Amino acid sequence: MGKITFYELKNFQGKFYECTCDNLDLQSHLNSCNSIRVENGLWMVYERPHYMGNQYFLKEGEYPDYHVWTGISDSIKSCLLLSLQKGLDVYRLRVYEKDDCTGKMTKFMNDCTNVHDHFCYPIRSCQVLGGLWLFFEKTDYRGKQYLLKPGKYERFTDWGSAHGTIGSLKRVMETL
């Protein structure tokens, strides 16, 4: 079970809202979010309702200011508790240079700090064959983040990217 607490002010001050499950729309609970405390679980938080807009991965810990989770504003409007399958540690991902999972392909089973070192093409589509993955727009796990669940992503817009630039990728694990 997960638990996350959102605070309107920095340093865990002001009005707060505790959450233990997915929430499509936090707007009725808080006007803004300037700090977050994750008591347990792995979470994705989103700047807009219905899991839209910029997204941020948060693990257990304290985030006293939205800059700490690399947020660009004090807007958090939805959250998703990530569930990992216990005992299933198979992480497999295929990335493709063209839409519809065609063209040159590379497989990943581990984290990668610099995708270009392994795949010299832009990632236009992918298939997640096992595990949850985070794509980052920049190398070394920086920039905008995108959560990918098992399935086929025929275009980069399917995972929420505007231009398909992926600099690094990471497996979502308990020990992240």
Side-chain angles (χ1 to χ4, degrees), residues 53-127:
N54 289 328
Q55 51 189 286
Y56 308 99
F57 173 77
L58 301 177
K59 61 182 180 177
E60 198 170 301
E62 294 189 342
Y63 304 84
D65 182 309
Y66 68 82
H67 293 104
V68 176
W69 68 77
T70 65
I72 58 172
S73 76
D74 65 355
S75 177
I76 296 295
K77 302 297 183 196
S78 55
C79 64
L80 182 66
L81 175 61
L82 303 178
S83 66
L84 302 177
Q85 295 177 340
K86 298 288 183 198
L88 183 64
D89 57 357
V90 176
Y91 287 84
R92 295 184 337 179
L93 169 71
R94 291 182 185 158
V95 298
Y96 299 87
E97 70 165 327
K98 296 182 180 179
D99 291 345
D100 302 316
C101 299
T102 60
K104 295 197 187 313
M105 183 269 298
T106 294
K107 297 177 186 177
F108 289 93
M109 294 177 70
N110 294 300
D111 301 347
C112 179
T113 60
N114 189 335
V115 170
H116 192 71
D117 288 347
H118 302 278
F119 192 65
C120 299
Y121 305 92
I123 297 174
R124 304 286 300 180
S125 58
C126 73
Q127 281 184 286

